[in-house]
Amino acid sequence: MELSRRDALAALSAAGIAATAGCSSLLGDEGTETAAEETDEATATATDAPTDAPTETPADEASSMDTMVALAEVLYPSEVEPTESFVQTYLYGRIYAEEAYAGEVDSGIETLNGLANDEAGDDFHALSADERVSVIENTDLRTGDSVHDGSDVERVNYHLVDELLFAFYSSPVGGEMVGTQNPRGFPGGYGYSPPLDQ
Amino acid sequence: MSSTQTDDTDKTPVEDPDVCVVGAGPAGALLSHRLAKRGHDVVILEAGPRFDMEERVERMKRQIHPERGVDEIWDMGGERDEYTVSSDIPMPLNKRRAKGVGGTSLHWGSVVPRFRERDFEMESRHGVGKDWPISYGDLRPYYAEAEQEIGVAGPDEAPHQPPREEGYPMDPLPESYADKLYAKAGDALGIDVQPMPMAINTGAYDRNECQGHGTCEHVCPSGGKYTADIHVEKAEQEGATVITEVPVQRLEHGPDGEEITEAVYKTPDGETHRQTADVFVAAAGAYETPRLLFLSESDQYPNGLANSSGTLGKYFMDHSGGLVVGFLPGLEHSTTEYGPVISSGVFQFYDDDEAPTGGINMMLLNGAEPPIATVAMTSDEIGDELLEKIDLQAGNSIGLTLSTETLPREDNTITLDRSKTDNNGNPVLDVDFSVGQYAIDATEKGVSEFTDMVEELGGTVVLSQGTHTLNKADEFIEQTEGGYHPMGGTRMGEDPTESVVDPTLKTHDLENLYISGGGVFVTGGASNPTLTIMALSLKAADHIDEELQG
C-alpha cells in the first residue's frame, strides 16, 4: 500500500499542522476538508497530489526527504510504502513553519549519516534496506533514549524516528492496520458505536 | 522546565476594583464571570500564563510521547511549583494540576457527576465525617446553573442519581462499544451501567465540538472539552481584567485585622505589586490556598490568616481508589476507537446503605491502554515486528478508574515545609495524607465488582492497583498514584471554632475574604469534585454580589 499525500494530510491533521501558519498554501483547498473525509481515500496514490503541492524543493531538502523516506521505509510495516509525497507533505509544513524543527531535521540527518557511514560506509538514504536496519539495530537508535533536547542520537530518536512513528500510528492508515480508524491523537470524530459481537 | 514564553501584557494592578480573585481556574472563573456580568469590577491574578490554543496539539503530542512527563504537558515543575509529600501514597502534585488561565481544568477528564444528597449529611446518616452546613437542596439550583454554564452531556433518566429539576443541557454521549460490553456484563451481574455526565460539547455549545482525539485527560486539542479559560474570557468580555504570571505572595490585612486590604504579587521580572479591592476571593486550589493563608501570617494572625479555629490545612482529603485493567481477547472492534475516554459509569454502590458505606464512583474507560503511537515509540522493534507487537495488544482492553470516599481527618494536612522554598523564597506546601480503612473497604468493593465484570466478559484482569494495594505503592504506575482530587483544608462550617469559612464561603475571621474551591468541602464524597466546586462558586458569587450591592 502506497502511503499518499492524502495519508500525510490525515497525519498532519493529527499533528495539528494544518492549523499552523504557513501551511495553507501547501494544503490548498484540501486543508479545509475534515480528516475523516481525507481518510476515505487513504489508499489514493501520490499521483493524486494537487498542483499546489510544493514543486520546488531545494537540493538539500530533497536529500532530507530521501533520508526521511529511507528511515520511514524501515520503521513502517513492509506492507506500506512511505512515498516521498507522504513524508514531504507531512514534514514540509513543520520544517517551514518551525525553524527549530527544521534545525532538528538537519542535524538529525547529519547524525544519522554519521552512524550510517560508520556502519556501512555511506549516507543513510543510500544504504539498502537491510543495511539501514543494521544501522538501527547496531546503534542506540530505537533502543536508546528519546529526548527532545538530549544527545545527538537521542534527538534523532525524538525528532525523526518518533515523529515518523507518530505520523503513522496517530493516523487512520496506521490505526487501521491494528483495527482502529481513530487511534488516540487523531481527530476522527466521536461516538463510533459498532454492535456487540454475537 | 517551562517552555511557555513570558508574555508582555500589563502586570500593574487595577485601580480600585470591587473584587480581586486569586486564581483563574474553575473555582475562580465562573464566579468572576458572574460578578463581572452583574456589573462588578473584577481583577483576576493568575500565577501561570495564558496558554495558546494553537499549542494544544503540541501539548497533546507531549502526552502521547512516552518520554515526556505529564508535568511537562502544561509546563508544570521547577522552583515555582515545588512541594513536599509526607503521605503514605505517592502524590505527584505537578502531574495532577496545571497553573494558568483555565487552571487544572485544562488537564482534567471532564467527568462531572453531582455530589449525592448523602454526601452532605454523612454524620447524620452513617455516623462518620461531619455534616455540611448546607444541604444538597441548597446547592441543587447552583448545580443546574453550573451544568448550563459549562455544557454537560448527561442522562436525564438514569438510576442512582440525585434528584434534578431539569434535564442536562445535552443528551448523554453515545454509547460506546466498550459501554455495550459493560452493559452486557452488568445485565448478567445485576449491576446498573449508566451514562456518565461529561463536560464535552456534542454540538450545542458555543465552543468547538468534540473531535474525538481521545486524549481528554490531559489535553483536548479541539476545545470540545470544557476548560475554565472559557469563563475567564467571558468574564473579560464583561469587563474583568486578568493579570497572568503573577503568583500572589501573601494577603495583607488592615490595622484592625478585620479586612484584607491588598494581595501582594510578584511579576516575572521580580517586581512586587499590591492589588487592592473591596472583596478578595482565594481560589488557588486546595493545595495552594491554605499555603497562601499560612504565608500571610502577621503579628495579629501568627498562625496564618483565617485560622482562629486552628483548622486551616486540616481535614485535607483526596479521593482514594485505583485503576483496574481487563484484557478481553478476540474482540471484533477496538475499545479505544470511540473518542472520549469515559462515557459511562456505575453509581449503584455509591449511596446504598449496605456496607461499606463509603462512596464508590466507578468510571468505565473506553479502552485502558496507551495510545498505539505511544506503544510504537516505546518499543525497540521496527517494521513488521513493531506492527505485530502493537496489534497483539491494541483495542482489547477495558478499564476502571475508581474514585472512593476518604473520611476527613484532622491529621491529614496541608502545612508549610519551611525547609524548602519556591523561586520567590516562600516555604512550599507539605501534604501529609493517609487514606484509612474506610476508603480501603470502599475501594475493595469497587474493584471486586469490576473484576466480576471483566470475568463475566471472559476476560482477565491484568492490572489492579490503588488504595487496595497500598502495601505495593512503590510499584504503582503513574496513573495509580494519588493527588487527583484535593479537598478540605479550609473547610466550611457554622461554628467559627471548627471551620475556616461559613456557608457563604466567607472566612469567619476576615469580613471581605472568601475561599472558593475544593478546600471548603466538609466531606469528600466520591464524585469528581469540580462540578461541586463550580456550583459552590456560583453560590458564593451570589453572596458577594449581595454584599457589594448592600
Side-chain angles (χ1 to χ4, degrees), chain A residues 176-189:
Chain A
E176 276 180 19
M177 296 188 85
V178 296
T180 176
Q181 293 182 58
N182 188 20
R184 298 228 193 275
F186 181 72

Side-chain angles (χ1 to χ4, degrees), chain B residues 115-121 125 136-137 161-163 351:
Chain B
F115 267 32
R116 273 50 188 164
E117 291 165 291
R118 49 83 81 179
D119 290 327
F120 299 84
E121 45 201 48
R125 288 200 189 199
Y136 174 77
Q161 292 204 108
D351 58 358

Side-chain angles (χ1 to χ4, degrees), chain A residues 67 102-114 152 155-156 159-160:
Chain A
T67 306
E104 292 291 353
V105 170
D106 287 347
S107 58
I109 287 172
E110 197 177 319
T111 302
L112 203 53
N113 284 337
D152 288 348
R155 292 161 95 104
V156 172
H159 295 288
L160 274 58

Side-chain angles (χ1 to χ4, degrees), chain B residues 417-430:
Chain B
D417 175 1
R418 295 187 186 274
S419 70
K420 194 193 288 187
T421 55
D422 67 7
N423 56 332
N424 287 308
N426 294 313
V428 303
L429 69 90
D430 174 52

Side-chain angles (χ1 to χ4, degrees), chain B residues 76 94 100 173 369 373 471 490:
Chain B
M76 289 295 294
N94 290 338
L173 293 172
E369 61 202 49
N471 58 332
T490 53

Side-chain angles (χ1 to χ4, degrees), chain B residues 427-471:
Chain B
V428 303
L429 69 90
D430 174 52
V431 55
D432 186 352
F433 172 72
S434 66
V435 295
Q437 191 60 42
Y438 189 80
I440 293 171
D441 291 345
T443 303
E444 286 177 344
K445 170 75 171 171
V447 168
S448 169
E449 295 293 340
F450 186 75
T451 301
D452 288 349
M453 292 172 77
V454 173
E455 291 173 355
E456 175 64 30
L457 293 167
T460 307
V461 169
V462 294
L463 182 138
S464 182
Q465 290 185 345
T467 303
H468 59 302
T469 61
L470 270 180
N471 58 332

Side-chain angles (χ1 to χ4, degrees), chain A residues 6-192:
Chain A
R6 287 178 185 278
D7 296 326
L9 289 174
L12 279 173
S13 179
I17 307 302
T20 59
C23 281
S24 55
S25 62
L26 169 66
L27 301 182
D29 292 341
E30 282 195 80
T32 61
E33 292 181 25
T34 67
E37 286 166 342
E38 293 288 352
T39 60
D40 288 343
E41 300 179 53
T43 53
T45 65
T47 56
D48 293 337
T51 54
D52 59 355
T55 51
E56 293 181 19
T57 308
D60 57 336
E61 276 151 23
S63 167
S64 297
M65 288 304 148
D66 288 346
T67 306
M68 295 302 280
V69 170
L71 182 56
E73 278 173 355
V74 290
L75 292 176
Y76 294 175
S78 56
E79 190 182 330
V80 301
E81 184 185 338
T83 61
E84 182 172 334
S85 176
F86 174 85
V87 174
Q88 180 166 312
T89 303
Y90 181 75
L91 292 178
Y92 204 84
R94 278 203 75 183
I95 289 171
Y96 269 76
E98 299 174 45
E99 196 178 329
Y101 185 68
E104 292 291 353
V105 170
D106 287 347
S107 58
I109 287 172
E110 197 177 319
T111 302
L112 203 53
N113 284 337
L115 294 171
N117 275 287
D118 289 348
E119 181 71 21
D122 208 340
D123 285 352
F124 191 82
H125 70 87
L127 302 181
S128 69
D130 286 346
E131 287 171 327
R132 279 174 270 152
V133 170
S134 292
V135 172
I136 291 173
E137 288 180 346
N138 295 335
T139 65
D140 283 341
L141 291 166
R142 291 297 277 153
T143 50
D145 290 339
S146 169
V147 185
H148 69 106
D149 56 355
S151 68
D152 288 348
V153 173
E154 289 169 346
R155 292 161 95 104
V156 172
N157 278 335
Y158 190 92
H159 295 288
L160 274 58
V161 174
D162 287 348
E163 188 70 23
L164 285 170
L165 288 171
F166 179 87
F168 185 71
Y169 284 109
S170 287
S171 65
V173 63
E176 276 180 19
M177 296 188 85
V178 296
T180 176
Q181 293 182 58
N182 188 20
R184 298 228 193 275
F186 181 72
Y190 72 94
Y192 178 64

